[in-house]
Amino acid sequence: DQQVKQNSPSLSVQEGRISILNCDYTNSMFDYFLWYKKYPAEGPTFLISISSIKDKNEDGRFTVFLNKSAKHLSLHIVPSQPGDSAVYFCAASREIQGAQKLVFGQGTRLTINP
Amino acid sequence: NAGVMQNPRHLVRRRGQEARLRCSPMKGHSHVYWYRQLPEEGLKFMVYLQKENIIDESGMPKERFSAEFPKEGPSILRIQQVVRGDSAAYFCASSLVHEQFFGPGTRLTVL
C-alpha cells in the first residue's frame, strides 16, 4: 500500500530552466509534507516543507505547492543548477502520539544538464 | 553544532551474526527515528523512540530487530542473526517538531 507516490523515477532538465518534481498521496490524514534531497552514500537532506493548511511555501530557488483536493504536491526549482542533480524524495506525515512518522515516496532522480 | 551522527558508516556481517548500529541525535533533539532503505526503494519507517521509551515500532520486523534509546548514550538498532535480506542502508533521524534531520546512514552488507 504505497501511500506516497512519485511516479517519475527520473527527470532530466537543462541548466537554468525550471525543474518540477511531482508527488501524489492517498491518505487525507497527512498534515505535513516535506521534500528531501539525497546524494549517493549520504543521508537525506531536508529542503523545504509545507503544512496542510497552506498551499505554497517558498525558500529561495525552491517552492513547494500543495493541492489538497487533488492530493498532490510539487517541488519547483528555478533556476536549476548542476549541483541540484540528486535523488529527491517527498515525504508526508501526521502526528501520532507526538511522533511525526514520515512516509516516503520512491524518489525521483533529477539530472541537470549543462 | 554537530548534526546527526551514525556509526559505523559501513558494516559487514556474515549470516547469523549480530549487527549493532548507533545513532547520536542532534543536540537538543529528543525524538529519534530509524528508517531502512532497500536498493532502488524509498526510505521505510522502522521505529520512533524518545529517551528510554519506544513510542512506535510498527515498522520494525517482529523478530530479530530491536531498538533502544537509553538515558545516556546513543540510540542503538540491533539486528540479531542477520540474513542477506537485511542488507540495506539504515538511516537515523532526529527532530524537535516537524522537520527530521538525517544522519549519513549505516550501510549493512550481509555476506
Side-chain angles (χ1 to χ4, degrees), chain A residues 2 31-32 34 36 38 40-46 49 89 93 95-107 109, chain B residues 9-10 31 33 35 37 40-45 48 50 55-56 58-59 91 95 97-105 107:
Chain A
Q2 190 70 29
D31 56 14
Y32 210 80
L34 308 92
Y36 286 85
K38 188 178 181 304
E42 293 185 14
T45 302
F46 169 73
S49 60
F89 291 97
S93 74
E95 185 175 335
I96 303 175
Q97 294 181 274
Q100 291 282 348
K101 184 168 70 177
L102 294 180
V103 179
F104 282 86
Q106 308 95 309
R109 183 177 302 278
Chain B
R9 293 292 309 273
H10 300 274
H31 305 251
Y33 301 79
Y35 294 84
Q37 185 183 24
E40 306 304 321
E41 292 187 15
L43 284 76
K44 297 278 196 283
F45 168 81
Y48 161 55
Q50 294 180 11
I55 307 301
D56 182 348
S58 58
F91 293 98
S95 74
V97 185
H98 290 289
E99 287 79 14
Q100 293 182 21
F101 296 90
F102 284 80
R107 191 162 302 275

Side-chain angles (χ1 to χ4, degrees), chain B residues 35-103:
Chain B
Y35 294 84
R36 175 166 66 175
Q37 185 183 24
L38 295 171
E40 306 304 321
E41 292 187 15
L43 284 76
K44 297 278 196 283
F45 168 81
M46 297 181 75
V47 61
Y48 161 55
L49 309 104
Q50 294 180 11
K51 283 284 186 184
E52 300 185 277
N53 282 307
I54 297 174
I55 307 301
D56 182 348
E57 56 182 346
S58 58
M60 198 117 90
K62 294 286 183 283
E63 297 177 353
R64 303 187 298 107
F65 285 71
S66 63
E68 62 177 16
F69 189 15
K71 190 176 179 182
E72 302 290 338
S75 175
I76 307 281
L77 179 68
R78 183 180 175 209
I79 311 172
Q80 295 178 287
Q81 299 175 328
V82 295
V83 301
R84 288 223 172 103
D86 297 333
S87 294
Y90 292 82
F91 293 98
C92 165
S94 72
S95 74
L96 274 178
V97 185
H98 290 289
E99 287 79 14
Q100 293 182 21
F101 296 90
F102 284 80

Side-chain angles (χ1 to χ4, degrees), chain A residues 17-36:
Chain A
R17 308 292 286 267
I18 183 170
S19 295
I20 300 176
L21 296 100
N22 293 302
C23 180
D24 298 294
Y25 62 95
T26 57
N27 190 340
S28 56
M29 299 295 290
F30 289 135
D31 56 14
Y32 210 80
F33 303 89
L34 308 92
W35 283 94
Y36 286 85

Side-chain angles (χ1 to χ4, degrees), chain A residues 63-76:
Chain A
T63 303
V64 56
F65 295 92
L66 175 62
N67 182 334
K68 282 197 298 290
S69 60
K71 295 193 178 69
H72 177 83
L73 66 154
S74 60
L75 174 68
H76 292 210

